[in-house]
């Protein structure tokens, strides 16, 4: 046995004996093989342990094998070291004739004929060459015989042939028995704890968790075996088709008896009619008569009768139970009882006269008080049929159908409680209430007015063609100039910047820029410098180039007004193509716009003061322009036509928003200082508040005037006030508070109605303006006066 074990061992060659030039038989061979697969390598110590276990398990064979092993070890045929093994291998390679004998000796005594047979089997192909039906070559492979070491999963596992020997005898051995060929059946390897856990989680089919004592492998049961175990546990019949209660075999009834069991005579009741049967027959007869038992009918007749019974009519009121009337139920009105006039023989005083009969016939049927005239008959049999009977019945049905059936409680609501809870006007002070100063001096209507940015001076313009400057608090006129003797001054506006004192006025087709000589010299000099700078820009070589078109007329002409007007303080005259009605300044004071409703394409013009430049922003405007304003803080420009207000972006040169007030004719509008709200006045007596962030429709519509609204104005000094001027001669002052919270709506409360102007030729208040700091307003009237309200 030692020879066999020693032949299986693999010894590493000594480092000193390895040649330096021979790399194939040295370190590389072992290193590469062990790196590829170390599972087949068994150390010498492990083999010795296995040999010792086999020696201890097989006591009967150990004696003979040990003696043979000792003899084999003492033999001179087997080399004792690695040098002998290598020398023998070289001799075998050189000597082909002695290969079988030396190889058998090195391998432990195996027969050379078996080695030759194995080499022949390896060299022989595993197929045979035959000819197919077409004469071609056909390769026929041998059938695979599934053996113990085959990869065939369907091959049967070897059966253990140890008989009744307990498996506990094999606990100390690596095998658990022997198969029919005498080969050892090795113990199945046990998996890791993780594999056991995974097997317990992923339960295969037929898994029981038990171990087969015969093979030592997990016990798997088929579906039929599991079903059998389930039936046994549930106390059911284990086999299908088994009848636990078979039919009994009647032994006595199957035996014929030749002799009676009793020789007693028959009783008398067997010869008399049975009363019980008579009762049952009578019961059946009654059931047939009552129809509870029906005679047999063929299927065709029965189907025909069932088809006839399919049309069933139900009475939906058969289960109706009278109910008590509802608490709020109103009974149908009853007809009034007949009076004496409906009798066939009424008293004479109920009979109509001839005049009454003609009047009744000439009246429209809808306006008659009665549908009939009383008549008198001698007897009831002479009374004819009533011709209005059907009509009266129909109208009565309509009254019953349309009459209310439930009493409705009337809601007693105070109309005042439906109005919004507005603060009291006394809580919203300050606002103007009384007339403080009266300004007289114009001949005719005062069409426009404006308060300068300092709040000290008031400029007015009227039908007399003059512009007048007043001291606001005292009402004293300090300066005046007549611009045109034929045309009225339609608009007067101050430049919004301080310390310039520039006043603009429009009369006819001319726009005048002036500096009243009532200001201090520094302010006057600064204003003159701004107005004169434009002439230098126009003559400069780097100024704006003229249009390419030869002879094209410019939109406006900037020139000196003349020596007479220049001595009075008027410095520049701008001539446009049509009559100017509105002037509006930009917040920075370098630009202002003018509106000429009759100018068509050039109705809206934007003028640049520092360059003496006039531009026409619209080639075509939808509708007639009425007024225009700049946005107080953003580069937006608002233009109002008769029905629309359009907002344009001057930087991007595009339309931003279209506002639809819903008015028939817009007269004026003004933008709130915050820039998110605006008010619109119209000639159809409506005042509209617009929230630009909310919608393009009006947020609130107010009607407090009987005549057209001429002007609307916000307070520019930060006070929540605005006012409108109407042709009825009054001003309506409102408290309009706008908050930054987008979730809260603006508060609009009318606080005061200011009356004082007279209506002349259906014209009342023409214009209104606010003091830049105080809650004061100034109004211009058609009666030729201006009033300061404080």
């Amino acid at each position: 046995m030692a020879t066999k074990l020693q032949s299986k061992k693999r010894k590493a060659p000594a480092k000193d004996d390895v040649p330096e030039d021979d790399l194939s038989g040295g370190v590389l061979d072992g290193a590469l093989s062990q790196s590829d697969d170390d599972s087949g390598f068994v150390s010498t110590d492990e083999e010795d342990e296995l040999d010792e276990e086999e020696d201890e398990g097989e006591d009967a064979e150990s004696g003979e094998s040990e003696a043979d092993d000792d003899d084999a070890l003492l033999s001179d045929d087997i080399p004792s070291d690695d040098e002998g093994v290598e020398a023998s291998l070289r001799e075998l390679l050189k000597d082909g004739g002695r290969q079988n004998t030396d190889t058998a000796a090195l391998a432990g005594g195996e027969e050379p004929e078996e080695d030759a047979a194995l080499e022949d089997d390896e060299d022989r192909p595993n197929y045979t060459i035959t000819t197919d039906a077409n004469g071609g070559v056909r390769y026929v492979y041998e059938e695979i015989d599934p053996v113990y070491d085959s990869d065939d999963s369907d091959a049967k596992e070897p059966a253990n042939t140890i008989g009744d020997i307990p498996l506990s005898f094999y606990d100390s051995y690596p095998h658990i028995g022997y198969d029919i060929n005498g080969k050892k059946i090795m113990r199945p390897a046990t998996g890791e704890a993780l594999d056991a856990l995974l097997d317990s989680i992923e339960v295969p089919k037929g898994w029981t968790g038990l171990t087969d004592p015969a093979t030592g492998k997990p016990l798997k049961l088929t579906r039929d075996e599991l079903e059998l175990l389930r039936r046994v546990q549930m106390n059911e019949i284990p086999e299908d088709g088994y009848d636990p209660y078979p039919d009994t075999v009647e032994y006595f009834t199957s035996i014929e008896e030749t002799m009676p069991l009793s020789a007693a005579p028959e009783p008398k009741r067997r010869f008399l009619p049975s009363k019980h049967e008579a009762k049952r027959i009578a019961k059946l007869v009654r059931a047939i008569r009552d129809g509870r038992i029906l005679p047999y009918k063929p299927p065709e007749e029965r189907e025909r009768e069932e088809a006839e019974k399919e049309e069933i009519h139900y009475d939906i009121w058969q289960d109706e139970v009278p109910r008590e009337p509802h608490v709020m139920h109103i009974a149908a009105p009853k007809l009034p009882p007949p009076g004496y006039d409906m009798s066939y023989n009424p008293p004479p005083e109920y009979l109509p006269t001839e005049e009454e009969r003609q009047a009744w016939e000439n009246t429209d049927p809808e306006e008659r008080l009665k549908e009939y005239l009383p008549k008198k008959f001698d007897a009831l049999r002479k009374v004819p049929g009533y011709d209005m009977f059907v009509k009266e019945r129909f109208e009565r049905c309509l009254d019953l159908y349309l009459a209310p059936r439930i009493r409705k409680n009337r809601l007693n609501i105070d109309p005042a409680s439906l109005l919004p809870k507005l603060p009291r006007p006394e809580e919203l002070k300050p606002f103007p209430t009384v007339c403080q100063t009266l300004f007289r001096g114009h001949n005719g209507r005062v069409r426009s007015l404006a308060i300068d940015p300092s709040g000290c001076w008031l400029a007015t313009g009227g039908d007399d063609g003059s512009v007048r400057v007043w001291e606001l608090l005292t009402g004293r006129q300090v300066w005046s100039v007549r611009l045109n003797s034929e045309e009225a001054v339609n608009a007067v506006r101050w430049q919004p910047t301080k310390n310039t004192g520039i006043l603009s006025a429009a009369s006819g087709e001319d726009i005048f820029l002036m500096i009243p000589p009532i200001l201090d010299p520094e302010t006057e000099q600064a204003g003159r410098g701004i107005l004169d700078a434009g002439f230098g820009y126009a003559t400069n070589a780097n100024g704006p180039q003229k249009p390419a078109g030869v002879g094209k007329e410019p939109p406006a002409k900037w020139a000196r007004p003349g020596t007479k007007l220049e001595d009075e303080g008027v410095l520049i005259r701008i001539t446009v193509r049509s009559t100017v009605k509105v002037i509006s300044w930009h917040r920075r004071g370098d630009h202002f716009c003018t509106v000429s409703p009759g100018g068509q394409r050039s109705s809206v013009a934007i003028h640049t003061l520092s360059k003496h430049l006039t531009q026409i922003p619209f080639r075509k405007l939808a509708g007639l322009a009425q007024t225009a304003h700049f946005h107080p803080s953003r580069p937006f420009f608002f233009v109002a036509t008769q029905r629309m207000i359009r907002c344009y972006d001057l930087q991007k040169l595009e339309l931003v928003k279209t506002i639809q007030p819903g008015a028939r004719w817009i007269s004026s509008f003004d933008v709130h200082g915050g820039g998110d709200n605006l008010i619109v006045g119209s000639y159809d007596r409506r005042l509209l508040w617009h929230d630009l962030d909310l919608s393009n429709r009006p947020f609130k519509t107010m009607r407090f005037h009987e005549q057209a609204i001429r002007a609307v104005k916000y307070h520019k000094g930060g006070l929540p006030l605005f006012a409108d001027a109407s042709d009825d001669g009054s001003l309506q002052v409102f408290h309009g508070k706008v908050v930054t919270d987008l979730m809260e709506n603006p508060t609009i409360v009318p606080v005061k109605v200011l009356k004082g102007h007279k209506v002349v030729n259906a014209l009342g208040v023409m214009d209104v303006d606010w003091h830049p700091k105080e809650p004061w307003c100034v109004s211009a009237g058609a009666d030729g006066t201006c009033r300061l309200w404080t």
Side-chain angles (χ1 to χ4, degrees), residues 234-438:
M234 300 301 293
N235 294 329
E236 297 179 357
I237 299 173
E239 296 182 2
D240 292 335
Y242 176 75
D243 187 6
Y245 306 105
D247 296 336
T248 58
V249 179
E250 302 294 342
Y251 296 98
F252 298 98
T253 56
S254 60
I255 299 175
E256 295 181 1
E257 296 181 355
T258 56
M259 297 297 292
L261 296 178
S262 175
E266 294 289 338
K268 184 179 180 181
R269 56 186 175 81
R270 296 185 181 179
F271 302 96
L272 295 178
S274 174
K275 294 182 179 181
H276 177 66
E277 292 179 357
K279 291 181 179 180
R280 293 186 63 184
I281 292 173
K283 190 175 182 179
L284 293 175
V285 171
R286 285 196 301 270
I288 292 173
R289 290 176 180 176
D290 296 341
R292 289 183 279 113
I293 296 178
L294 300 177
Y296 171 77
K297 292 182 180 179
E300 296 81 5
E301 184 178 357
R302 194 161 53 246
E303 291 177 0
R304 185 175 64 255
E305 291 181 356
E306 291 178 357
E308 293 176 356
K309 292 181 180 180
E310 287 182 357
E311 297 182 1
I312 302 175
H313 300 86
Y314 297 96
D315 185 4
I316 60 176
W317 292 282
Q318 62 181 356
D319 298 333
E320 188 175 2
V321 180
R323 295 178 297 176
E324 296 182 359
H326 194 266
V327 178
M328 306 299 290
H329 175 72
I330 300 177
K334 296 181 180 180
L335 291 175
Y340 292 107
D341 56 346
M342 299 183 68
S343 174
Y344 72 95
N345 189 12
E349 59 269 17
Y350 287 95
L351 297 175
T353 61
E354 190 65 25
E355 296 177 356
E356 293 175 351
R357 183 184 298 276
Q358 292 180 358
W360 183 83
E361 291 176 355
N362 295 331
T363 308
D364 293 337
E366 296 179 357
E367 297 179 359
R368 294 173 182 173
L369 299 178
K370 296 181 179 180
E371 297 292 337
Y372 61 91
L373 285 177
K375 295 181 181 181
K376 186 175 182 179
F377 299 95
D378 297 339
L380 184 60
R381 64 178 180 273
K382 296 181 180 180
V383 178
Y386 185 42
D387 54 349
M388 301 295 293
F389 177 78
V390 177
K391 183 180 179 181
E392 283 189 359
R393 294 298 95 188
F394 176 71
E395 292 180 353
R396 172 65 177 172
C397 292
L398 287 181
D399 293 341
L400 295 177
Y401 170 69
L402 299 175
R405 289 292 179 267
I406 296 179
R407 185 181 292 107
K408 295 183 179 180
N409 294 329
R410 183 178 180 181
L411 300 177
N412 297 324
I413 300 176
D414 185 12
S417 63
L418 300 177
L419 298 176
K421 301 298 181 182
L422 299 177
R424 298 173 57 188
E426 292 78 7
E427 300 174 357
L428 302 176
K429 288 184 178 182
F431 53 84
T433 56
V434 296
C435 179
Q436 174 68 25
T437 309
L438 184 63

Side-chain angles (χ1 to χ4, degrees), residues 521-581:
E522 296 180 358
T523 304
E524 185 177 353
Q525 187 65 27
R528 286 179 177 271
I530 293 174
L531 295 179
D532 294 340
F535 289 105
Y537 182 86
T539 58
N540 191 3
N542 297 329
Q545 300 294 329
K546 294 183 179 181
V550 179
K552 186 176 181 180
E553 183 181 358
K557 296 180 181 179
W558 294 64
R560 297 288 185 181
T563 307
K564 183 180 179 180
L565 291 178
E566 286 184 10
D567 294 341
E568 295 182 359
V570 181
L571 302 180
I572 296 177
R573 178 172 62 185
I574 307 169
T575 304
V576 295
R577 300 174 182 176
S578 57
T579 303
V580 178
K581 294 291 185 179

Side-chain angles (χ1 to χ4, degrees), residues 630-704:
F630 291 96
H631 194 277
S633 59
R634 303 178 67 182
F636 290 166
F637 185 56
F638 295 89
V639 178
T641 58
Q642 289 183 350
R643 294 179 179 270
M644 300 287 182
I645 299 176
R646 293 176 173 84
C647 178
Y648 297 91
D649 192 335
L650 297 179
Q651 288 184 348
K652 299 180 180 179
L653 302 178
E654 63 182 8
L655 178 65
V656 177
K657 182 177 293 186
T658 300
I659 304 169
Q660 301 176 359
R664 296 180 180 177
W665 196 308
I666 297 173
S667 61
S668 61
F669 76 95
D670 193 19
V671 185
H672 190 268
D676 295 335
N677 299 271
L678 60 85
I679 51 175
V680 181
S682 65
Y683 290 115
D684 55 354
R685 302 171 295 174
R686 283 189 283 184
L687 178 66
L688 306 111
W689 180 291
H690 280 268
D691 191 342
L692 300 181
D693 293 336
L694 183 63
S695 173
N696 57 356
R697 296 287 183 177
F699 167 70
K700 183 169 289 188
T701 302
M702 294 163 282
R703 297 184 182 182
F704 294 100

Side-chain angles (χ1 to χ4, degrees), residues 29-316:
D29 191 11
L32 292 177
S33 62
Q34 292 181 10
S35 63
D36 292 339
D37 187 8
D38 295 340
S39 60
F41 176 74
V42 182
S43 62
T44 307
D45 297 337
E46 293 178 358
E47 288 183 353
D48 295 340
E49 292 178 1
L50 293 176
D51 295 339
E52 291 176 2
E53 291 180 358
E54 291 181 359
D55 294 340
E56 292 174 2
E58 298 178 1
D59 295 335
E61 301 173 2
S62 61
E64 298 176 2
S65 60
E66 286 179 359
D68 296 337
D69 292 340
D70 293 338
D71 296 336
L73 287 173
L74 296 175
S75 176
D76 295 332
D77 298 335
I78 298 175
S80 60
D81 51 1
D82 295 338
E83 294 179 358
V85 175
E86 291 180 0
S88 301
L89 290 174
R90 292 191 188 98
E91 292 177 358
L92 290 175
L93 291 174
K94 293 178 181 179
D95 221 352
R98 293 179 298 173
Q99 183 178 3
N100 297 333
T101 306
D102 296 338
T103 304
L106 289 174
E110 294 180 2
E111 294 296 329
E113 289 81 0
E114 294 179 1
D115 293 340
L118 290 176
E119 290 179 1
D120 295 339
D121 293 338
E122 291 177 359
D123 296 337
R124 187 177 59 186
N126 59 344
Y127 58 87
T128 57
I129 301 175
T130 59
T131 304
D132 57 3
N134 297 325
V137 179
R138 178 184 178 187
Y139 297 92
V140 180
Y141 292 88
E142 298 178 357
E143 294 184 359
I144 298 175
D145 184 15
V147 294
Y148 179 76
D149 55 351
S150 175
D151 293 337
D152 190 1
S153 60
D154 296 335
K156 295 183 179 180
E157 296 181 356
N160 200 346
T161 58
I162 60 176
D164 295 335
I165 299 175
L167 286 176
S168 58
F169 288 2
Y170 292 89
D171 290 343
S172 59
Y173 298 100
H175 59 280
I176 58 174
Y178 301 90
D179 59 358
I180 192 65
N181 297 323
K183 293 184 179 181
K184 296 179 181 180
I185 300 176
M186 305 306 294
R187 187 184 304 276
T190 57
E192 298 283 337
L194 179 60
D195 297 336
L197 177 60
L198 293 178
D199 292 339
S200 63
I201 294 175
E202 300 176 0
V203 180
K205 292 183 179 180
W207 180 84
T208 58
L210 304 177
T211 304
D212 189 357
T215 61
K217 294 185 178 181
L219 179 61
K220 296 183 180 180
L221 301 180
T222 62
R223 187 181 300 274
D224 297 337
E225 293 173 346
L226 293 174
E227 180 65 19
L228 179 61
L229 291 176
R230 187 191 66 80
R231 290 188 178 187
V232 172
Q233 290 179 352
M234 300 301 293
N235 294 329
E236 297 179 357
I237 299 173
E239 296 182 2
D240 292 335
Y242 176 75
D243 187 6
Y245 306 105
D247 296 336
T248 58
V249 179
E250 302 294 342
Y251 296 98
F252 298 98
T253 56
S254 60
I255 299 175
E256 295 181 1
E257 296 181 355
T258 56
M259 297 297 292
L261 296 178
S262 175
E266 294 289 338
K268 184 179 180 181
R269 56 186 175 81
R270 296 185 181 179
F271 302 96
L272 295 178
S274 174
K275 294 182 179 181
H276 177 66
E277 292 179 357
K279 291 181 179 180
R280 293 186 63 184
I281 292 173
K283 190 175 182 179
L284 293 175
V285 171
R286 285 196 301 270
I288 292 173
R289 290 176 180 176
D290 296 341
R292 289 183 279 113
I293 296 178
L294 300 177
Y296 171 77
K297 292 182 180 179
E300 296 81 5
E301 184 178 357
R302 194 161 53 246
E303 291 177 0
R304 185 175 64 255
E305 291 181 356
E306 291 178 357
E308 293 176 356
K309 292 181 180 180
E310 287 182 357
E311 297 182 1
I312 302 175
H313 300 86
Y314 297 96
D315 185 4
I316 60 176

